[in-house]
Structures are given as C-alpha cells and as structure tokens.
Amino acid sequence: MQAHRTYSQMDAVAQRLLQRINAQTWPWVRGVPDEPRAGALTWEVPHAEIVTADDKREASFIASQTLHYLRSALDHLIYNASWLDQGAPQEKTQFPILSNRNKWCTAKTIRDLGSMSPKHIAWIEAVQPFNGVKWTKTLQELSNADKHRFGVEVSPTVQLGVNIEGAIDDSRSRGVKLAQIEQVSLRLFLPGLNPYGELPRTFDEMFIGAAGVINPFLKEAGISTLEVSPPQVRESDK
C-alpha cells in the first residue's frame, strides 16, 4: 500500500511536464540535413528546456522510494508467512530472488525462507528469475543498484515526431532546413535498465507481480487481498 501511495506521486510529475508541453506551440525545428553527422539530436528545438533538474530528481526519488517499499513488502511476506507456518518468529528471513536454480536448495535460501511449508515455498519458487519470471529480476536489479551503487534514475523525455521529408529551406541561413513538428510526447525512462526501459511498463509489471505472489498468502490467512492494478502514470501525445 505504501508503494502504491508513493508511486502515485509520479503522475503529478508527469502532469506538470505535460502542462508545460501543452503551453507551448511546436511548429518547427531547424537542422542541417546535408551534414554527414546529422541525426535526430542535431536538430534544434525552438523552446527552452521543458524538463528541469528538479523534475528529474523528484521522479527519481519517487522511483527509489517505491522500489524500497516493494522490496520490503516481499521481505515482510516471508517473515510473517514463516511465522504463521512455524508458530514463532523466524530470524534472518528475506524474500530470495535467484537467477541460478542451483542456489535454491542451499542452506542460505532455506534460512531466508524461514522454514516455510513446502506449499508456500513452491509459491515463492514459482516467481524466481530462474523460472523465467522477469519482474523479480527487474526488481532485484533496480533495488540493488539503488541501495548499493547509485540511486535509480528516471529520465523524463520530450520526444518529437518530425516530418524530415517535408523540410523546407530556412531563408535566414544557407544549408539550414526547417522541418515541421507533427507530434510531441512525454515519455518516462529508466536509463540504467537493459539499457533503457520504459518506467510505467516496468513498474506496472512489478506491482502486478508483487500483488500476484502476496495475494495467495493473504487469501489463505483470511485477509483482504491487494488490488492488482498499479497506479496510473499518464504519458501523453500532443
């Protein structure tokens, strides 16, 4: 629930950026198409920067906190499920995330799982990366990097759809072309993820996956289950 509340704040960041985008007119970009090194990044956009450093920091902080709460929720699941199975609190438990199947039956993994019942262990095993499950691997990669190496980074990006083929000469500068902007969109990316993942889709998969593994335990214990729909982060086109 805390992960859900925190991640919901990401939509406010997106909407603030969309308001700036919509407040601008986007008629043309200028570029030199005959330049051998010309590419999408060599075309000039006729506006001040839409995304500020503060926007990037806020979005990155929200993502970092959301990862912390998601990972903590899974650790709490193991602690409480093993307590119910054994009738007493178990020490040094955590939610194992393993890409190597050979590590599943080690003493460390058994300790991490707190000697849960075979049925409950099977539920956790089913969502391991070594079984081809993507969201647990993604959560592990992002969470570990955020905690131990560098803070997770979110990159809000304004993308332009430009009609290069319809470019016309700029009467003010020889060799410079004017190309009409046909579409403007906001996208949120995680630059460090494989190597450039879309934030909404990535976090949606982790929310749905986490709820999917937690809910069977809640249902068995007679506790209300979690809503599996993640909070909406609206990206948009103009």
Side-chain angles (χ1 to χ4, degrees):
M1 292 173 63
Q2 191 60 47
H4 194 283
R5 293 191 193 100
T6 300
Y7 186 62
S8 295
Q9 300 171 33
M10 191 73 74
D11 188 57
V13 177
Q15 294 310 301
R16 184 169 67 239
L17 296 175
L18 287 170
Q19 287 177 0
R20 294 179 199 159
I21 290 173
N22 292 329
Q24 302 282 355
T25 56
W26 300 85
W28 304 93
V29 290
R30 301 175 73 248
V32 186
D34 294 333
E35 162 65 40
R37 294 169 296 178
L41 296 180
T42 65
W43 289 77
E44 300 174 4
V45 180
H47 291 298
E49 185 178 16
I50 297 293
V51 181
T52 68
D54 286 342
D55 296 322
K56 295 178 181 179
R57 279 193 290 266
E58 183 179 356
S60 298
F61 177 76
I62 292 169
S64 175
Q65 289 295 100
T66 302
L67 289 169
H68 168 73
Y69 289 128
L70 279 173
R71 189 67 185 262
S72 296
L74 297 179
D75 289 338
H76 293 171
L77 168 66
I78 300 300
Y79 179 78
N80 286 281
S82 63
W83 186 344
L84 288 173
D85 282 349
Q86 295 298 320
Q90 305 299 301
E91 298 296 327
K92 299 181 179 180
T93 59
Q94 65 176 351
F95 191 100
I97 300 179
L98 302 172
S99 297
N100 187 341
R101 183 180 296 274
N102 293 331
K103 294 183 178 180
W104 182 249
C105 296
T106 63
K108 182 183 183 306
T109 302
I110 294 172
R111 184 197 68 196
D112 289 345
L113 291 168
S115 299
M116 289 194 303
S117 68
K119 178 178 72 172
H120 291 161
I121 290 175
W123 290 354
I124 305 302
E125 182 180 6
V127 298
Q128 293 301 310
F130 62 70
N131 279 324
V133 177
K134 180 181 176 182
W135 72 265
T136 43
K137 181 63 174 178
T138 301
L139 177 59
Q140 181 188 51
E141 290 178 355
L142 292 175
S143 178
N144 286 352
D146 188 59
K147 288 190 298 183
H148 303 301
R149 295 194 292 277
F150 47 81
V152 65
E153 179 186 358
V154 176
S155 179
T157 303
V158 179
Q159 295 186 331
L160 305 178
V162 180
N163 181 9
I164 301 296
E165 293 182 357
I168 61 175
D169 292 331
D170 184 350
S171 60
R172 298 168 297 178
S173 305
R174 175 179 291 183
V176 175
K177 296 284 188 178
L178 293 173
Q180 190 168 14
I181 298 173
E182 297 184 333
Q183 184 182 50
V184 184
S185 61
L186 173 68
R187 295 291 181 264
L188 301 175
F189 291 105
L190 293 158
L193 182 63
N194 296 327
Y196 209 63
E198 296 181 16
L199 181 141
R201 184 175 64 182
T202 300
F203 273 70
D204 286 358
E205 290 174 352
M206 290 190 293
F207 269 102
I208 293 171
V213 72
I214 291 172
N215 278 340
F217 287 91
L218 297 179
K219 184 177 180 180
E220 186 179 73
I223 302 172
S224 298
T225 57
L226 302 171
E227 294 290 339
V228 296
S229 58
Q232 185 179 24
V233 176
R234 289 166 288 180
E235 300 172 304
S236 182
D237 296 333
K238 177 182 178 181

